[in-house]
Amino acid sequence: MDNVLLLDTSVGSLNKGDDIIMKCVRYHLSKIVQDDYLLTLPTHVSPFHWYQVARNSNRVKIYSEAKYKFVGGSNLLTMDMLTHFPQWNINIFNYRPLKGSILLGVGAGKGNKVNGYTKMLYKKLLSNEFVHSVRDERTKEIMQSMGFKAINTGCATLWTLTPDFCSKIPTNKAKSVVFTLTHHTKDLINDQLLIDTLNNNYEIVYFWVQDKEDLSYFNSLRNIRKIKIVSPTLEAFENVLAMDIDYIGTRLHGGIFAMRHKKRSIIIEIDERARGMSATYNLNQIKRENIKNLDAMINSNVVTNVNLDFESINTWVSQFTNEDILRTDLSARVIG
């Protein structure tokens, strides 16, 4: 039995969207690591102090010698690892136990030019043996510019959404709806119109708190008295998704997670990330500035037909196992 290391992007995160990503990453890695012993370390907080690495203790050696070291999704790569709090919180003094790390559906933050220190650190840290799985074409180009092999598989949260699975997602309006807001991109006019539209179209409206500050923003809006608050946990969100319910909201991964639970989802596009993923993967979306058209969309036939490159996913998976994602019957199950 070999050790396999999973670098967990949800530990230390302020956003429950990272919990969604990691739950999906663990699910899709389960076939690869089923006969191995899975270890975990965080990414958002530093996994080692420099002197622990320098001493090369037995514990550090165990992590260092893991057969595979997978990095679980998220918007992890940065153009400048000298920033005060990088998403992947490592440096030139403590990276060595993580040498050979393999990306799984990882994206890059803002910017297009990686500085010299960051490029040097990534070249020491990331695997040159395996092809990396990245979330989008931009990240793929950034990785290739540094000399790495990379393939665009999309985010691991999407991998369940095969054509057969999508065909099981309802097309007509449900009785209830769960929605989300995003506190760091406020739009008081259109977000209020969203709430009013949902109140007018659904018998029961739920609000899921994906980020703690989203609740404060929600409380600043009007006509919220009858809306039911869903606790900021995946378990609470999944309990709501077990109902006859739609998802509508600005949180991209909240919408994808709802789709994985076979719920009709409309993602409200608020930034370049949502715009790019919606266009690339054919997610059902509406621009927030067009929210006045949401009423018509809610009452129309909404077909889910995600455009995912499963050949690329299978190419990445086949590096570690002979079983690809298309040989697994995903359509009959609800996948968390």
Side-chain angles (χ1 to χ4, degrees):
M1 180 178 292
D2 295 309
N3 289 325
V4 172
L5 177 61
L6 176 59
L7 295 163
D8 190 330
T9 54
S10 67
V11 178
S13 173
L14 301 178
N15 185 343
K16 294 301 177 182
D18 288 327
D19 288 15
I20 290 173
I21 292 171
M22 285 309 304
K23 182 163 187 175
C24 299
V25 164
R26 287 176 180 274
Y27 174 80
H28 291 300
L29 281 179
S30 61
K31 293 284 185 183
I32 296 172
V33 304
Q34 61 184 343
D35 297 321
D36 299 309
Y37 192 79
L38 189 64
L39 305 168
T40 57
L41 284 174
T43 56
H44 285 41
V45 293
S46 182
F48 308 105
H49 196 284
W50 68 265
Y51 65 76
Q52 295 171 317
V53 176
R55 290 182 63 182
N56 197 27
S57 67
N58 184 60
R59 177 64 66 89
V60 171
K61 287 175 65 176
I62 290 172
Y63 294 122
S64 299
E65 295 170 0
K67 180 173 67 171
Y68 303 128
K69 302 167 189 176
F70 293 109
V71 187
S74 188
N75 207 34
L76 198 68
L77 300 180
T78 181
M79 304 300 106
D80 181 9
M81 288 293 279
L82 289 172
T83 185
H84 70 287
F85 202 98
Q87 292 288 315
W88 198 351
N89 205 339
I90 51 173
N91 55 59
I92 195 63
F93 302 108
N94 69 354
Y95 80 90
R96 282 205 318 271
L98 307 182
K99 188 175 181 179
S101 292
I102 307 163
L103 304 184
L104 197 177
V106 172
K110 294 180 180 178
N112 291 302
K113 186 173 177 56
V114 180
N115 66 24
Y117 167 76
T118 302
K119 182 176 181 180
M120 178 268 294
L121 183 56
Y122 285 153
K123 288 183 78 69
K124 289 179 177 293
L125 173 67
L126 298 175
S127 175
N128 286 304
E129 177 185 358
F130 294 99
V131 178
H132 296 278
S133 155
V134 296
R135 192 180 62 192
D136 50 56
E137 282 299 308
R138 172 176 162 271
T139 306
K140 176 183 172 182
E141 291 170 3
I142 290 171
M143 288 290 290
Q144 290 177 337
S145 73
M146 294 189 288
F148 294 106
K149 296 172 288 187
I151 191 167
N152 180 5
T153 63
C155 182
T157 55
L158 293 167
W159 290 10
T160 295
L161 302 175
T162 64
D164 187 52
F165 188 96
C166 289
S167 71
K168 308 296 193 301
I169 297 176
T171 60
N172 296 320
K173 184 178 77 169
K175 294 181 179 179
S176 302
V177 67
V178 57
F179 78 103
T180 55
L181 296 170
T182 305
H183 71 89
H184 53 79
T185 55
K186 297 181 177 69
D187 184 333
L188 291 171
I189 294 174
N190 284 312
D191 288 338
Q192 183 62 60
L193 182 55
L194 166 64
I195 288 174
D196 295 341
T197 301
L198 298 182
N199 281 330
N200 290 335
N201 278 280
Y202 291 94
E203 295 178 14
I204 306 175
V205 179
Y206 296 88
F207 173 66
W208 183 52
V209 183
Q210 186 172 312
D211 184 305
K212 180 175 179 289
E213 296 304 318
D214 293 348
L215 182 59
S216 299
Y217 179 43
F218 167 81
N219 285 327
S220 72
L221 297 165
R222 305 185 309 277
N223 303 328
I224 61 173
R225 183 174 58 86
K226 294 183 179 180
I227 295 174
K228 299 179 182 295
I229 306 297
V230 181
S231 299
T233 67
L234 290 196
E235 292 78 10
F237 191 31
E238 287 184 293
N239 286 339
V240 168
L241 292 175
M243 305 175 185
D244 176 26
I245 201 163
D246 289 342
Y247 169 89
I248 300 174
T250 60
R251 291 291 186 173
L252 176 64
H253 286 105
I256 295 172
F257 197 62
M259 292 162 65
R260 288 176 70 102
H261 286 74
K262 299 181 182 175
K263 301 302 173 185
R264 192 179 81 148
S265 299
I266 299 172
I267 294 166
I268 300 172
E269 180 188 301
I270 60 171
D271 56 25
E272 287 296 330
R273 183 183 57 131
R275 187 171 301 115
M277 287 189 69
S278 295
T280 302
Y281 304 116
N282 194 38
L283 306 182
N284 292 319
Q285 58 85 27
I286 185 171
K287 294 180 179 180
R288 184 158 59 179
E289 56 265 33
N290 295 333
I291 206 74
K292 61 183 180 296
N293 299 324
L294 179 61
D295 187 285
M297 191 172 183
I298 288 172
N299 291 287
S300 68
N301 190 268
V302 177
V303 176
T304 304
N305 183 23
V306 176
N307 179 27
L308 201 60
D309 185 355
F310 286 99
E311 183 176 346
S312 293
I313 296 171
N314 292 334
T315 296
W316 186 83
V317 171
S318 67
Q319 298 177 107
F320 316 104
T321 176
N322 291 325
E323 181 172 352
D324 64 41
I325 196 170
L326 292 182
R327 292 179 187 152
T328 305
D329 181 13
L330 298 172
S331 62
R333 291 179 284 160
V334 174
I335 309 301

